[in-house]
PDB file of all heavy atoms in Angstrom:
ATOM      1  N   ASP B 150      16.350  15.014  25.204  1.00 93.00           N
ATOM      2  CA  ASP B 150      16.874  13.752  24.668  1.00 93.00           C
ATOM      3  C   ASP B 150      16.754  13.686  23.151  1.00 93.00           C
ATOM      4  O   ASP B 150      17.639  13.169  22.478  1.00 93.00           O
ATOM      5  CB  ASP B 150      16.124  12.556  25.286  1.00 93.00           C
ATOM      6  CG  ASP B 150      16.519  12.352  26.748  1.00 93.00           C
ATOM      7  OD1 ASP B 150      17.515  12.969  27.175  1.00 93.00           O
ATOM      8  OD2 ASP B 150      15.810  11.597  27.451  1.00 93.00           O
ATOM      9  N   ILE B 151      15.625  14.190  22.640  1.00 93.00           N
ATOM     10  CA  ILE B 151      15.436  14.185  21.174  1.00 93.00           C
ATOM     11  C   ILE B 151      16.361  15.218  20.544  1.00 93.00           C
ATOM     12  O   ILE B 151      16.987  14.959  19.523  1.00 93.00           O
ATOM     13  CB  ILE B 151      13.953  14.482  20.824  1.00 93.00           C
ATOM     14  CG1 ILE B 151      13.058  13.326  21.284  1.00 93.00           C
ATOM     15  CG2 ILE B 151      13.788  14.713  19.326  1.00 93.00           C
ATOM     16  CD1 ILE B 151      11.576  13.632  21.206  1.00 93.00           C
ATOM     17  N   GLY B 152      16.463  16.380  21.188  1.00 92.00           N
ATOM     18  CA  GLY B 152      17.296  17.473  20.669  1.00 92.00           C
ATOM     19  C   GLY B 152      16.455  18.501  19.926  1.00 92.00           C
ATOM     20  O   GLY B 152      15.750  18.143  18.994  1.00 92.00           O
ATOM     21  N   TYR B 153      16.552  19.760  20.339  1.00 93.00           N
ATOM     22  CA  TYR B 153      15.799  20.832  19.670  1.00 93.00           C
ATOM     23  C   TYR B 153      16.385  21.078  18.288  1.00 93.00           C
ATOM     24  O   TYR B 153      17.561  20.812  18.081  1.00 93.00           O
ATOM     25  CB  TYR B 153      15.886  22.124  20.508  1.00 93.00           C
ATOM     26  CG  TYR B 153      15.003  22.100  21.733  1.00 93.00           C
ATOM     27  CD1 TYR B 153      15.564  22.036  23.002  1.00 93.00           C
ATOM     28  CD2 TYR B 153      13.622  22.161  21.595  1.00 93.00           C
ATOM     29  CE1 TYR B 153      14.759  22.014  24.130  1.00 93.00           C
ATOM     30  CE2 TYR B 153      12.813  22.145  22.732  1.00 93.00           C
ATOM     31  CZ  TYR B 153      13.384  22.073  23.992  1.00 93.00           C
ATOM     32  OH  TYR B 153      12.585  22.053  25.094  1.00 93.00           O
ATOM     33  N   PRO B 154      15.604  21.596  17.310  1.00 93.00           N
ATOM     34  CA  PRO B 154      14.170  21.868  17.427  1.00 93.00           C
ATOM     35  C   PRO B 154      13.331  20.581  17.374  1.00 93.00           C
ATOM     36  O   PRO B 154      13.730  19.616  16.746  1.00 93.00           O
ATOM     37  CB  PRO B 154      13.894  22.737  16.200  1.00 93.00           C
ATOM     38  CG  PRO B 154      14.945  22.351  15.211  1.00 93.00           C
ATOM     39  CD  PRO B 154      16.146  21.959  16.004  1.00 93.00           C
ATOM     40  N   VAL B 155      12.198  20.656  18.079  1.00 94.00           N
ATOM     41  CA  VAL B 155      11.270  19.519  18.042  1.00 94.00           C
ATOM     42  C   VAL B 155       9.923  20.010  17.510  1.00 94.00           C
ATOM     43  O   VAL B 155       9.667  21.224  17.477  1.00 94.00           O
ATOM     44  CB  VAL B 155      11.063  18.891  19.439  1.00 94.00           C
ATOM     45  CG1 VAL B 155      12.354  18.275  19.949  1.00 94.00           C
ATOM     46  CG2 VAL B 155      10.504  19.901  20.417  1.00 94.00           C
ATOM     47  N   ILE B 156       9.101  19.073  17.090  1.00 91.00           N
ATOM     48  CA  ILE B 156       7.764  19.445  16.626  1.00 91.00           C
ATOM     49  C   ILE B 156       6.745  18.701  17.493  1.00 91.00           C
ATOM     50  O   ILE B 156       6.920  17.520  17.799  1.00 91.00           O
ATOM     51  CB  ILE B 156       7.606  19.164  15.111  1.00 91.00           C
ATOM     52  CG1 ILE B 156       6.239  19.621  14.607  1.00 91.00           C
ATOM     53  CG2 ILE B 156       7.845  17.705  14.773  1.00 91.00           C
ATOM     54  CD1 ILE B 156       6.189  19.785  13.102  1.00 91.00           C
ATOM     55  N   ILE B 157       5.734  19.433  17.952  1.00 92.00           N
ATOM     56  CA  ILE B 157       4.667  18.805  18.737  1.00 92.00           C
ATOM     57  C   ILE B 157       3.601  18.340  17.765  1.00 92.00           C
ATOM     58  O   ILE B 157       3.158  19.104  16.901  1.00 92.00           O
ATOM     59  CB  ILE B 157       4.042  19.803  19.743  1.00 92.00           C
ATOM     60  CG1 ILE B 157       5.128  20.480  20.587  1.00 92.00           C
ATOM     61  CG2 ILE B 157       3.019  19.104  20.636  1.00 92.00           C
ATOM     62  CD1 ILE B 157       4.588  21.571  21.516  1.00 92.00           C
ATOM     63  N   LYS B 158       3.213  17.097  17.863  1.00 88.00           N
ATOM     64  CA  LYS B 158       2.188  16.559  16.965  1.00 88.00           C
ATOM     65  C   LYS B 158       1.062  15.922  17.768  1.00 88.00           C
ATOM     66  O   LYS B 158       1.279  15.417  18.865  1.00 88.00           O
ATOM     67  CB  LYS B 158       2.792  15.488  16.041  1.00 88.00           C
ATOM     68  CG  LYS B 158       3.709  16.048  14.967  1.00 88.00           C
ATOM     69  CD  LYS B 158       4.112  14.938  14.001  1.00 88.00           C
ATOM     70  CE  LYS B 158       4.878  15.521  12.826  1.00 88.00           C
ATOM     71  NZ  LYS B 158       5.253  14.469  11.872  1.00 88.00           N
ATOM     72  N   ALA B 159      -0.128  15.934  17.198  1.00 86.00           N
ATOM     73  CA  ALA B 159      -1.292  15.320  17.849  1.00 86.00           C
ATOM     74  C   ALA B 159      -1.302  13.821  17.543  1.00 86.00           C
ATOM     75  O   ALA B 159      -1.147  13.423  16.388  1.00 86.00           O
ATOM     76  CB  ALA B 159      -2.564  15.967  17.328  1.00 86.00           C
ATOM     77  N   SER B 160      -1.490  12.999  18.583  1.00 83.00           N
ATOM     78  CA  SER B 160      -1.509  11.541  18.377  1.00 83.00           C
ATOM     79  C   SER B 160      -2.635  11.119  17.443  1.00 83.00           C
ATOM     80  O   SER B 160      -2.485  10.199  16.646  1.00 83.00           O
ATOM     81  CB  SER B 160      -1.686  10.817  19.705  1.00 83.00           C
ATOM     82  OG  SER B 160      -0.609  11.094  20.551  1.00 83.00           O
ATOM     83  N   GLY B 161      -3.764  11.795  17.564  1.00 79.00           N
ATOM     84  CA  GLY B 161      -4.916  11.399  16.758  1.00 79.00           C
ATOM     85  C   GLY B 161      -5.003  12.149  15.445  1.00 79.00           C
ATOM     86  O   GLY B 161      -6.011  12.068  14.744  1.00 79.00           O
ATOM     87  N   GLY B 162      -3.956  12.912  15.136  1.00 71.00           N
ATOM     88  CA  GLY B 162      -4.111  13.868  14.035  1.00 71.00           C
ATOM     89  C   GLY B 162      -3.349  13.572  12.783  1.00 71.00           C
ATOM     90  O   GLY B 162      -2.852  12.480  12.559  1.00 71.00           O
ATOM     91  N   GLY B 163      -3.278  14.583  11.961  1.00 64.00           N
ATOM     92  CA  GLY B 163      -2.601  14.507  10.672  1.00 64.00           C
ATOM     93  C   GLY B 163      -2.896  15.775   9.905  1.00 64.00           C
ATOM     94  O   GLY B 163      -3.638  16.639  10.393  1.00 64.00           O
ATOM     95  N   GLY B 164      -2.291  15.887   8.731  1.00 58.00           N
ATOM     96  CA  GLY B 164      -2.563  17.022   7.853  1.00 58.00           C
ATOM     97  C   GLY B 164      -2.058  18.356   8.378  1.00 58.00           C
ATOM     98  O   GLY B 164      -2.540  19.414   7.987  1.00 58.00           O
ATOM     99  N   GLY B 165      -1.089  18.306   9.286  1.00 64.00           N
ATOM    100  CA  GLY B 165      -0.460  19.556   9.731  1.00 64.00           C
ATOM    101  C   GLY B 165      -1.212  20.286  10.834  1.00 64.00           C
ATOM    102  O   GLY B 165      -0.704  21.235  11.414  1.00 64.00           O
ATOM    103  N   LYS B 166      -2.444  19.847  11.153  1.00 70.00           N
ATOM    104  CA  LYS B 166      -3.237  20.541  12.168  1.00 70.00           C
ATOM    105  C   LYS B 166      -2.667  20.305  13.567  1.00 70.00           C
ATOM    106  O   LYS B 166      -2.325  19.191  13.922  1.00 70.00           O
ATOM    107  CB  LYS B 166      -4.691  20.069  12.129  1.00 70.00           C
ATOM    108  CG  LYS B 166      -5.481  20.693  11.016  1.00 70.00           C
ATOM    109  CD  LYS B 166      -6.983  20.641  11.344  1.00 70.00           C
ATOM    110  CE  LYS B 166      -7.803  21.348  10.293  1.00 70.00           C
ATOM    111  NZ  LYS B 166      -8.111  20.492   9.130  1.00 70.00           N
ATOM    112  N   GLY B 167      -2.575  21.377  14.329  1.00 71.00           N
ATOM    113  CA  GLY B 167      -2.126  21.264  15.714  1.00 71.00           C
ATOM    114  C   GLY B 167      -0.631  21.078  15.867  1.00 71.00           C
ATOM    115  O   GLY B 167      -0.147  20.873  16.978  1.00 71.00           O
TER     116      GLY B 167
END
Side-chain angles (χ1 to χ4, degrees):
Chain B
D150 288 348
I151 293 170
Y153 284 111
V155 295
I156 183 162
I157 308 175
K158 288 187 173 181
S160 298
K166 281 202 176 84

